Amino acid sequence: MKKESQIIADIFDNGRKLLPFFLGKLEGVDPLKEIDVNGQKLNCVLWILAHMSWAEDALMLRAMGHRGSGIAWLEQFKIGGSAADKSAWPGMEEVMKGMEAVHKLTMEFVPTLSDAQLDEKIPFALFKDERPRRLILYHGIRHDSTHVGHLSWLCKLNGVKTV
């Protein structure tokens, strides 16, 4: 029987499996293209992917006690990170390699967590309180899936048929 941490990792990994579908549909779309909707600029494909990598590193690794991936450019894509200066951003190939590296670390590390570690409350700055590690991992799953959904909207907004 699988440990709870293995199941959590499996659920996270399974949600991530939808990402290649939307990325395949977005081939040929400028990954830096921002679309304006009702006066609001939406994040571009590259920013979303890099932000997903930052969040996975922060939530699924560092918040759990892992040292993290050490990828320097991730901090540019944290919550509240500016999308203004794209000249300092890594290219799409580097973002994809970083995303794969972070995800590999997550899939190796999260299943090693014990039930006691999942139960342990730790400071969680995003919500300005303490949460059990388990709930932070759940938040990481929700966060990742939400941004995969944003990529589906970017497909539609770029005139790309998804179904």
Side-chain angles (χ1 to χ4, degrees):
M1 182 173 222
K2 285 187 177 186
K3 292 186 334 183
E4 184 179 1
S5 62
Q6 292 169 316
I7 294 167
I8 290 170
D10 287 349
I11 291 168
F12 184 68
D13 191 46
N14 191 51
R16 179 61 70 86
K17 289 190 186 321
L18 195 53
L19 183 67
F21 172 76
F22 291 116
L23 287 179
K25 297 289 185 183
L26 287 164
E27 275 186 33
V29 170
D30 178 1
L32 298 176
K33 178 181 177 184
E34 294 175 326
I35 295 177
D36 185 88
V37 176
N38 297 327
Q40 179 69 38
K41 276 192 192 271
L42 302 181
N43 291 315
C44 65
V45 171
L46 188 140
W47 191 92
I48 290 171
L49 296 172
H51 175 71
M52 288 171 69
S53 299
W54 168 80
E56 182 175 0
D57 191 78
L59 296 168
M60 310 302 270
L61 293 172
R62 289 183 284 126
M64 297 301 113
H66 189 280
R67 63 177 165 66
S69 67
I71 298 172
W73 53 257
L74 288 179
E75 286 302 307
Q76 295 177 74
F77 302 95
K78 64 185 179 182
I79 293 173
S82 174
D85 182 16
K86 294 180 179 71
S87 67
W89 287 7
M92 189 69 166
E93 185 176 331
E94 188 176 351
V95 168
M96 293 308 299
K97 282 182 183 174
M99 186 173 231
E100 289 172 22
V102 171
H103 193 65
K104 183 177 185 296
L105 286 174
T106 297
M107 292 300 102
E108 292 168 355
F109 178 72
V110 169
T112 69
L113 298 171
S114 68
D115 287 348
Q117 287 172 304
L118 294 176
D119 290 337
E120 183 184 3
K121 286 187 174 185
I122 59 171
F124 191 50
L126 181 63
F127 295 128
K128 298 176 180 73
D129 65 7
E130 288 188 345
R131 301 270 164 117
R133 279 189 173 94
R134 171 185 295 102
L135 294 184
I136 296 169
L137 291 171
Y138 291 176
H139 178 70
I141 291 167
R142 287 190 314 256
H143 180 272
D144 207 70
S145 297
T146 297
H147 284 299
V148 170
H150 292 159
L151 294 172
S152 77
W153 277 108
L154 289 179
C155 285
K156 295 200 181 295
L157 292 167
N158 278 287
V160 177
K161 188 176 172 95
T162 58
V163 289

